[in-house]
Amino acid sequence: MVLTSVGKMVGLQKKTSGIRNICILAHVDHGKTTLADCLISSNGIISSRLAGKLRYLDSREDEQIRGITMKSSAISLHFVKGDQEYLINLIDSPGHVDFSSEVSTAVRLCDGCIIVVDAVEGVCPQTQAVLRQAWLENIRPVLVINKIDRLIVELKLTPQEAYLHLKNILEQINAVTGALFTSKVLEERAEKETESESISDTAPGDQIYDWSAGLEDTDDSHLYFSPDHGNVVFASAIDGWGFGIEHFAKLYSQKIGIKPAVLLKTLWGDYYLNTKAKKIMKGDQSKGKKPLFVQLVLDNIWSLYEAVMKRDKDKIEKIVTSLGLKIGARESRHADPKVHLNAICSQWLPISDAVLSMVCNKLPSPLDITAERVEKLMCVGARTFDSLPPETQELKSAFMKCSSEGTAPVIVFVSKMFAVDAKALPHNKPRPLTQEEIAHRRELAKRRHAEKLAANQGKELSEKPPSETSSEVTGNTGDTKGEEQQLTGQVETMTSKAVKQEADNKESFIAFARVFSGVVQRGQKIFVLGPKYDPAECLYKLSSECSATNDLPLVPHMTCCTLENLYLLMGRELEDLEEVPAGNVLGIGGLQDFVLKSATLSTSPACPPFTPLNFEATPIVRVAVEPKHPSDMPQLVRGMKLLNQADPCVQVLIQETGEHVLVTAGEVHLQRCLDDLKERFAKVQISVSAPIIPFRETITRPPKVDMVNEEIGKQQKVAVIHQTKEDQNKIPEGIQVDSDGLVTISTPNKQATLSVRAMPLPEEVTRLLEENSDLIRTMEQLNTSLNEDKKTHEINQKTLDRIKEFKQKLEQNLQGRRWRNAVDQIWSFGPRKCGPNILLYNFEGYKRSVWQCLGNAVKEVSKYRDFDNSIVSGFQLATLSGPMCEEPLMGVCFTVEKWEMNKVGEMVSTSSQDSGECDAVEHKQNEETTPTSSCTDDVCSTNEHQDSSESVPKSPEKISKHKGEVSLADCYGPFSGQLIATMKEACRYALQAKPQRLMAAMYTCEIMATAEVLGRVYAVLSKREGRVLQEEMKEGTDVFIIKAVLPVAESFGFADEIRKRTSGLASPQLVFSHWEIISSDPFWVPTTEEEYLHFGEKADSENQARKYMNAVRKRKGLYVEEKIVEHAEKQRTLSRNK
């Protein structure tokens, strides 16, 4: 097919009904990029012979070397079907689990997707993940079952077996879709139930739950993949063929004389052809007949493969002539039969026609966007669509119309930023010269040549000096123009060279975006809305009519920018565009200073930011990076900023220690980020630390048995002295520790005493807190705004319901005597006020709850009121870095059982309270008392600030009060600071009074391996502390699927080792799943006789938890207790060796 011009593409962009935005999703190595190659070759962008070998959309060098896609890239294709013309914006996405964030960015911009499944491997873990991502974004999938040639050539299945195998794969995929659908229906049904419950006050006995009822009523037939629906294509992308059954239905309807509609329904399924009666009958298997699909479709493909592979010339000729194909002599004589096969198949059943016509028929155009998807995109966080301002709700119609009129508001979503070499930008490319320019240059060259000849002749003729000069003068006058032009040309080329060199060193960022409404024009001014932007707050300040061109007041999370360049994305190429109408995917230049990773652009300030992207993989692998030469530090910092912008999943942090840390999703992702840093963004040599593995610290219940499974307490202790000595060392004087772990500690100035106890939280509660961290953060924000008496916008009912549900779940899980009333006594969560640890208060005279937002807020005026935030801050600090190796805590509950304050301490609190109130009275001239800030030193500073700012003379008592307060703060610093430090210490000692444990991050690991390498896979897993959860054999193959968990700490080099040991037959997929307690005690030493006999005096067998703990302590520069000399008897002095 001929190459389509850019002009043609621009014309097609205006017809919204003919646009299809699609992405290709699949597990790694299932053939996405090869399929994309076949589709691209249909547009003449690449040769059809190279399709599958070139991997055109893998434009990076490391993608070509590794053979996997790492970045999603887009290309626009033109497809003609009958008299309809379509523009297909195709996005190819990675299948490797490390790059699943790229899939999220691609899926957000599309309306439909092609799911590719390998006919041999079937549904793999990543296939399920991409189906889930497509489902979450409400986009419609179609299916391509690829690599069918492997069933013929590798597995050598008969057509009948292949049919059963394909049927099985389809069932598996539909099972995944069905599971997603069922969960959605049940969720909606549960929501309706709760709504109806709140409306109707029926007696509790009348309600009967019938969960299946909701499923039976809802129609789910359109969701499933079935060849007779036309949403399945059977293909072999490497051999260039693919078909939907409608192709064969048309073909055979003429031959057999059965209507195509009947054939469409019966070609797939248990039907067979009764040749005598020329009828299609049901129940092929019971009668032992061949199904129609095998008889009419698969048999033909199998016989073609057989003929070509066996080089049966007569049969091949017969097939080719009967199909009416023309095969070139080069292909038919080629030594590799695959080339011949490709030539026949790609003409007979071209894959591009089959796939693209399915896309155009089955996938929606941008006009068909569903109301559900629009509402989902517009509602950030816990807000419902109805709670958005009315101006914002009006934008929904603009979304639905997807109109390209001048009046429609422009709404664009940028899903990611990607870096492009500045040389690749259209305006930096050498452009072809026009005919006039060529003629003009030819004239210039001729003139120069003539002038040179004239000058030379003049020199030869004139021998006398004066005449020489005169001739030169005459020559020069004619030549000045040419020389001037030459000079200006030289100057231009020099400047352009300098500019080019600058451009070469610079990476240009292009935003990967889609227009949802309106027409985007080059040079247009537009608002950039950050993810925290709130249209409700903004519309108070601005009118909804204002545009980005006006001078506007400062609004948080909103900036204004100009769209410098618009590009048509053509794989490796970019083409300049002047304007882009709604419904198209495009690249936008000049946003790198305004957009970090993703953003919403709009001309209307009422537009809400879109919901953030759903990322499947969480970044967990950290490394510290530093330049080899310290002078290169600024380049490295700049490079890391650029890398952070260019990759949707990477995180860049600077730790307290000053290290620059890179957080990535896995090993392959880490490798790619480091390569990018070295070669593209920083362009300096860097040295990388060993991976920084995150751990968590926790406590457990005291164990019942010791290390040799003897009951504790029954055995006689041998090393009692050893033990007591350690216990004495742990706790300094001035701190009391009870037998049951209650720690009592006083502040340095002895004005307050705290008693704190630590308890392990049940696992379910820890999990619940982790899952609801966003909700806890929302609660915290609501509470702060309530405390500060801010005018909050109406708290969304849905959020309140979620908070209530969360509270109920906590109450269900915290049962028993120890947890009585615990949920109502929750003071704070930590670390960072939303972590998986809890602080409870259990002393008289104080009431403050995290559940204020539910309407039971209590205005607390007591002696504790002023200092409670200090206690909470101390708890936050303690949970952020535990005593074992300064890692965050997890699953620990601290209870403050006693908080006593001396009279002086109370006086401090009341005096600061009074001073705060006096100030408030002076400041606002009203009698209401306002709660002052939490800690006294803050109060001091605010008072001082107000002293200086107001010229009203202060009363002398007031000043003396300040002095009194400062004197109370004495040599130990402000009282609130002492409380923070004391609370932190109390929490640490309370932790150490209980059995401490480390928690390790765990990966779930899915490995597909054949039976002969199973043993080796198990060996590698057990060597790396892995634990196999299940193994199952895939039906119809000799492949086993092994599911295991593996500590992140042991996972480095795991994939490579498995590949080496199994000769490439097994490759693992690692995804972060959970935190798990390491059962061994890091501080354990043998104490009983049995333990001595079993482990020896030094307990020589390596303690895994201790090894991890010491490694972290070493990295952080903390004290590590270890022997410098391990084997003294082996040491010899150098002099002895002479």
Side-chain angles (χ1 to χ4, degrees):
M1 197 177 159
V2 210
L3 256 170
T4 315
S5 68
V6 179
K8 177 81 177 162
M9 293 288 192
V10 171
L12 288 170
Q13 283 189 339
K14 295 193 171 84
K15 294 177 192 158
T16 320
S17 58
I19 297 171
R20 297 287 183 274
N21 296 319
I22 57 164
C23 52
I24 306 182
L25 309 176
H27 186 80
V28 67
D29 283 338
H30 278 201
K32 292 177 294 300
T33 311
T34 308
L35 174 64
D37 268 8
C38 296
L39 303 184
I40 294 166
S41 69
S42 71
N43 267 227
I45 296 170
I46 62 171
S47 145
S48 57
R49 284 188 194 132
L50 287 176
K53 299 175 188 72
L54 188 63
R55 302 209 310 280
Y56 182 75
L57 289 179
D58 285 357
S59 50
R60 296 167 54 101
E61 195 182 337
D62 47 358
E63 288 181 319
Q64 289 287 351
I65 293 166
R66 274 183 185 267
I68 57 171
T69 309
M70 296 183 186
K71 286 269 182 202
S72 45
S73 43
I75 193 162
S76 297
L77 304 175
H78 173 218
F79 178 62
V80 182
K81 186 170 181 256
D83 53 354
Q84 270 280 74
E85 285 191 286
Y86 293 97
L87 172 69
I88 292 169
N89 295 320
L90 176 79
I91 305 176
D92 181 28
S93 66
H96 196 286
V97 68
D98 281 11
F99 306 109
S100 60
S101 56
E102 291 283 337
V103 177
S104 310
T105 59
V107 166
R108 171 58 63 90
L109 304 184
C110 295
D111 302 306
C113 62
I114 301 174
I115 305 277
V116 182
V117 175
D118 185 329
V120 175
E121 292 183 6
V123 178
C124 293
Q126 212 48 29
T127 317
Q128 297 181 7
V130 292
L131 269 168
R132 187 164 56 247
Q133 273 173 314
W135 179 264
L136 287 172
E137 286 287 349
N138 285 37
I139 69 171
R140 195 179 299 167
V142 289
L143 180 68
V144 172
I145 297 183
N146 192 18
K147 303 195 184 185
I148 290 187
D149 59 304
R150 288 181 67 189
L151 300 180
I152 310 173
V153 182
E154 278 180 37
L155 298 186
K156 298 193 167 44
L157 300 181
T158 63
Q160 180 74 31
E161 289 167 345
Y163 167 67
L164 293 172
H165 183 75
L166 292 172
K167 206 169 161 186
N168 195 1
I169 286 176
L170 260 176
E171 279 169 16
Q172 286 174 8
I173 296 166
N174 286 334
V176 176
T177 317
L180 291 167
F181 174 72
T182 311
S183 63
K184 182 191 169 200
V185 170
L186 292 182
E187 265 175 37
E188 283 176 0
R189 190 174 149 74
E191 275 178 24
K192 278 180 193 162
E193 288 282 339
T194 48
E195 280 171 25
S196 60
E197 269 175 37
S198 56
I199 298 162
S200 63
D201 298 319
T202 52
D206 300 348
Q207 290 184 351
I208 298 163
Y209 282 98
D210 173 22
W211 286 107
S212 59
L215 284 172
E216 284 161 10
D217 304 342
T218 42
D219 175 36
D220 57 354
S221 58
H222 61 282
L223 289 173
Y224 298 120
F225 300 109
S226 171
D228 50 348
H229 288 171
N231 59 3
V232 179
V233 159
F234 301 96
S236 165
I238 200 81
D239 288 342
W241 62 265
F243 64 87
I245 56 171
E246 59 276 1
H247 173 88
F248 282 97
K250 279 179 198 159
L251 193 88
Y252 282 113
S253 65
Q254 298 154 4
K255 283 193 176 181
I256 309 173
I258 294 173
K259 289 177 189 167
V262 176
L263 269 174
L264 247 182
K265 286 215 169 67
T266 53
L267 252 178
W268 180 264
D270 298 339
Y271 300 96
Y272 71 98
L273 184 66
N274 187 332
T275 37
K276 287 178 188 170
K278 280 209 171 179
K279 274 185 182 175
I280 292 173
M281 317 285 267
K282 202 169 168 46
D284 58 334
Q285 286 175 346
S286 55
K287 300 194 175 84
K289 306 276 189 184
K290 271 187 188 175
L292 268 182
F293 189 69
V294 174
Q295 191 180 351
L296 303 182
V297 181
L298 295 185
D299 278 353
N300 295 322
I301 294 171
W302 256 247
S303 59
L304 170 64
Y305 264 80
E306 197 180 357
V308 176
M309 289 302 178
K310 288 182 178 169
R311 298 290 173 98
D312 186 341
K313 282 191 178 171
D314 303 338
K315 197 173 180 186
I316 293 170
E317 271 176 33
K318 194 178 166 189
I319 292 172
V320 170
T321 47
S322 68
L323 292 172
L325 310 175
K326 288 187 175 71
I327 305 298
R330 178 182 173 277
E331 277 87 4
S332 51
R333 290 204 198 102
H334 202 284
D336 184 3
K338 280 274 190 185
V339 174
H340 194 183
L341 195 64
N342 193 328
I344 298 170
C345 294
S346 55
Q347 283 186 42
W348 174 37
L349 301 168
I351 185 171
S352 55
D353 283 3
V355 173
L356 293 179
S357 58
M358 170 172 75
V359 163
C360 297
N361 290 338
K362 291 291 162 191
L363 295 183
S365 74
L367 290 173
D368 306 328
I369 189 167
T370 58
E372 186 185 3
R373 185 175 181 205
V374 172
E375 288 183 15
K376 215 171 179 182
L377 285 178
M378 290 173 79
C379 301
V380 181
R383 304 197 67 170
T384 51
F385 182 72
D386 307 329
S387 70
L388 293 169
E391 295 94 331
T392 307
Q393 293 190 30
E394 282 165 22
L395 290 176
K396 181 178 169 184
S397 60
F399 266 103
M400 303 291 288
K401 279 185 203 153
C402 195
S403 65
S404 304
E405 297 159 13
T407 52
V410 175
I411 302 171
V412 179
F413 181 72
V414 175
S415 76
K416 69 166 184 172
M417 302 292 285
F418 64 98
V420 172
D421 230 347
K423 285 183 265 185
L425 295 176
H427 54 261
N428 291 340
K429 275 188 200 160
R431 60 188 178 83
L433 299 171
T434 59
Q435 289 300 113
E436 294 84 32
E437 283 175 317
I438 294 171
H440 179 63
R441 289 200 179 183
R442 197 181 292 129
E443 279 298 310
L444 275 178
K446 273 184 188 171
R447 200 186 300 164
R448 253 181 239 141
H449 188 62
E451 281 156 5
K452 266 187 190 170
L453 280 176
N456 290 345
Q457 280 172 0
K459 274 181 190 174
E460 284 168 18
L461 287 170
S462 59
E463 289 159 11
K464 294 171 191 174
S467 60
E468 208 177 275
T469 52
S470 66
S471 73
E472 270 185 19
V473 170
T474 53
N476 275 355
T477 50
D479 199 24
T480 45
K481 268 189 189 171
E483 271 193 4
E484 272 174 22
Q485 278 177 337
Q486 231 174 329
L487 272 169
T488 51
Q490 279 177 352
V491 171
E492 272 175 24
T493 52
M494 280 173 71
T495 52
S496 69
K497 267 183 190 171
V499 169
K500 262 191 184 165
Q501 275 179 342
E502 270 182 31
D504 285 356
N505 296 334
K506 210 175 170 214
E507 288 289 336
S508 204
F509 275 92
I510 290 176
F512 192 41
R514 170 174 166 182
V515 188
F516 280 92
S517 160
V519 180
V520 177
Q521 289 167 335
R522 192 198 217 144
Q524 184 177 23
K525 280 206 155 201
I526 199 161
F527 294 124
V528 179
L529 313 175
K532 289 184 181 173
Y533 170 75
D534 185 1
E537 277 183 30
C538 168
L539 289 170
Y540 290 138
K541 299 185 184 176
L542 311 172
S543 71
S544 57
E545 304 303 315
C546 72
S547 71
T549 46
N550 312 356
D551 287 335
L552 300 169
L554 275 175
V555 176
H557 309 296
M558 175 166 110
T559 50
C560 196
C561 77
T562 309
L563 305 178
E564 289 174 17
N565 294 302
L566 306 179
Y567 301 111
L568 175 69
L569 303 168
M570 291 297 290
R572 304 176 187 193
E573 310 292 321
L574 294 164
E575 301 289 348
D576 265 323
L577 296 174
E578 283 305 312
E579 60 171 44
V580 179
N584 284 290
V585 173
L586 78 160
I588 305 175
L591 286 180
Q592 61 248 50
D593 301 334
F594 302 98
V595 178
L596 178 63
K597 296 193 181 197
S598 65
T600 311
L601 313 179
S602 176
T603 48
S604 156
C607 178
F610 283 22
T611 18
L613 299 161
N614 305 304
F615 288 146
E616 285 280 316
T618 41
I620 189 89
V621 181
R622 297 164 174 249
V623 290
V625 182
E626 60 181 25
K628 285 246 169 85
H629 309 292
S631 56
D632 293 336
M633 198 66 194
Q635 282 104 299
L636 178 70
V637 173
R638 194 173 63 244
M640 286 181 84
K641 271 187 190 161
L642 294 176
L643 174 69
N644 186 27
Q645 196 166 12
D647 194 303
C649 193
V650 81
Q651 291 175 11
V652 173
L653 320 163
I654 298 179
Q655 290 197 317
E656 302 90 35
T657 51
E659 289 175 305
H660 287 76
V661 174
L662 209 59
V663 193
T664 57
E667 261 189 295
V668 184
H669 186 211
L670 171 66
Q671 197 52 53
R672 197 206 62 200
C673 289
L674 293 175
D675 289 347
D676 275 359
L677 250 189
K678 280 181 220 163
E679 287 153 27
R680 296 182 68 178
F681 300 129
K683 293 189 174 158
V684 293
Q685 286 297 308
I686 56 176
S687 51
V688 183
S689 74
I692 301 170
I693 298 127
F695 287 99
R696 295 282 182 269
E697 297 182 24
T698 189
I699 51 175
T700 56
R701 293 233 178 113
K704 297 274 194 305
V705 292
D706 62 14
M707 292 292 279
V708 283
N709 289 339
E710 296 283 348
E711 246 184 273
I712 287 178
K714 293 284 171 73
Q715 294 303 328
Q716 182 188 353
K717 286 205 172 176
V718 178
V720 182
I721 319 147
H722 186 78
Q723 193 70 10
T724 46
K725 222 196 280 180
E726 276 215 351
D727 287 348
Q728 284 165 2
N729 292 347
K730 261 188 187 174
I731 291 140
E733 52 186 286
I735 296 167
Q736 299 165 10
V737 180
D738 294 4
S739 55
D740 61 344
L742 182 70
V743 171
T744 309
I745 183 171
S746 299
T747 51
N749 63 5
K750 303 287 183 279
Q751 301 301 342
T753 310
L754 292 169
S755 294
V756 179
R757 171 180 282 124
M759 289 191 290
L761 283 172
E763 265 180 51
E764 302 80 34
V765 177
T766 313
R767 201 175 307 123
L768 194 66
L769 293 176
E770 265 201 302
E771 285 164 5
N772 290 299
S773 61
D774 291 340
L775 186 64
I776 297 173
R777 204 175 281 125
T778 315
M779 274 165 55
E780 184 59 37
Q781 286 163 359
L782 293 172
N783 289 341
T784 357
S785 50
L786 280 170
N787 287 347
E788 291 169 6
D789 288 338
K790 268 192 191 166
K791 167 94 181 69
T792 53
H793 42 258
E794 200 54 45
I795 300 175
N796 175 2
Q797 189 55 43
K798 203 172 180 185
T799 316
L800 284 180
D801 291 345
R802 282 178 61 206
I803 293 173
K804 279 178 189 159
E805 188 189 348
F806 171 57
K807 189 178 176 184
Q808 279 171 356
K809 280 185 186 165
L810 274 179
E811 281 166 349
Q812 282 164 15
N813 287 320
L814 290 174
Q815 299 263 323
R817 189 173 52 81
R818 298 162 69 201
W819 301 107
R820 193 173 294 139
N821 299 335
V823 177
D824 293 321
Q825 292 175 348
I826 296 177
W827 196 349
S828 176
F829 300 96
R832 301 193 178 87
K833 301 208 171 179
C834 60
N837 303 289
I838 295 180
L839 176 65
L840 305 178
Y841 60 87
N842 196 6
F843 51 90
E844 294 298 315
Y846 181 80
K847 262 198 172 62
R848 179 171 175 181
S849 165
V850 282
W851 311 110
Q852 288 184 45
C853 47
L854 294 177
N856 47 6
V858 183
K859 279 278 178 196
E860 181 63 34
V861 182
S862 76
K863 58 180 180 182
Y864 302 121
R865 186 197 79 177
D866 241 31
F867 297 117
D868 55 1
N869 275 20
S870 306
I871 298 287
V872 171
S873 302
F875 161 74
Q876 299 294 348
L877 286 173
T879 50
L880 195 58
S881 57
M884 273 198 282
C885 50
E886 304 289 329
E887 290 286 301
L889 301 184
M890 187 168 185
V892 182
C893 167
F894 291 105
T895 316
V896 180
E897 306 235 331
K898 191 172 75 179
W899 178 9
E900 288 176 354
M901 281 166 71
N902 286 359
K903 290 281 174 270
V904 195
E906 288 173 31
M907 199 173 84
V908 173
S909 108
T910 48
S911 69
S912 65
Q913 214 169 306
D914 295 345
S915 65
E917 283 165 13
C918 301
D919 274 356
V921 170
E922 280 181 25
H923 213 61
K924 294 192 181 172
Q925 299 297 319
N926 63 355
E927 271 59 58
E928 283 179 23
T929 59
T930 55
T932 55
S933 66
S934 57
C935 49
T936 48
D937 53 343
D938 281 7
V939 172
C940 294
S941 62
T942 49
N943 293 342
E944 280 160 23
H945 175 67
Q946 286 168 3
D947 284 353
S948 58
S949 63
E950 288 184 20
S951 54
V952 182
K954 300 272 179 178
S955 58
E957 312 100 79
K958 188 127 193 242
I959 296 163
S960 67
K961 200 175 277 179
H962 277 291
K963 277 185 185 162
E965 190 177 326
V966 174
S967 69
L968 269 166
D970 60 33
C971 58
Y972 299 111
F975 185 56
S976 55
Q978 294 177 42
L979 266 177
I980 292 176
T982 310
M983 180 64 186
K984 183 185 171 186
E985 290 303 301
C987 289
R988 286 196 144 201
Y989 289 125
L991 262 185
Q992 287 171 333
K994 296 280 166 114
Q996 292 170 268
R997 294 286 183 273
L998 265 185
M999 294 182 89
M1002 303 298 273
Y1003 276 137
T1004 48
C1005 161
E1006 300 220 0
I1007 307 168
M1008 295 183 72
T1010 48
E1012 59 263 24
V1013 295
L1014 261 189
R1016 293 177 210 162
V1017 170
Y1018 275 89
V1020 176
L1021 271 171
S1022 58
K1023 177 180 143 193
R1024 290 174 174 266
E1025 308 279 327
R1027 199 173 70 245
V1028 175
L1029 303 178
Q1030 68 178 94
E1031 65 163 18
E1032 53 185 46
M1033 195 169 187
K1034 209 156 215 191
E1035 275 183 58
T1037 61
D1038 60 343
V1039 174
F1040 283 88
I1041 299 174
I1042 301 158
K1043 286 188 180 158
V1045 285
L1046 180 81
V1048 173
E1050 302 289 339
S1051 69
F1052 301 101
F1054 173 71
D1056 287 344
E1057 188 178 355
I1058 274 210
R1059 269 192 217 101
K1060 279 175 195 160
R1061 294 285 295 275
T1062 60
S1063 319
L1065 288 173
S1067 59
Q1069 288 262 358
L1070 299 170
V1071 187
F1072 173 71
S1073 82
H1074 65 287
W1075 295 92
E1076 194 171 283
I1077 296 180
I1078 301 171
S1079 54
S1080 53
D1081 178 1
F1083 300 111
W1084 178 80
V1085 282
T1087 51
T1088 65
E1089 209 164 324
E1090 276 80 2
E1091 286 180 342
Y1092 263 103
L1093 288 169
H1094 196 278
F1095 293 103
E1097 191 178 347
K1098 295 178 185 143
D1100 298 325
S1101 56
E1102 193 173 24
N1103 180 339
Q1104 195 68 27
R1106 190 179 190 84
K1107 188 180 87 176
Y1108 289 150
M1109 182 181 82
N1110 284 347
V1112 176
R1113 290 186 73 92
K1114 254 186 210 161
R1115 193 188 78 232
K1116 293 187 174 179
L1118 304 168
Y1119 167 69
V1120 177
E1121 190 182 307
E1122 60 180 354
K1123 298 185 182 71
I1124 307 296
V1125 178
E1126 288 236 333
H1127 306 289
E1129 63 275 10
K1130 287 187 183 173
Q1131 273 202 341
R1132 291 203 294 270
T1133 54
L1134 286 173
S1135 56
R1136 194 76 57 82
N1137 276 346
K1138 281 178 183 173

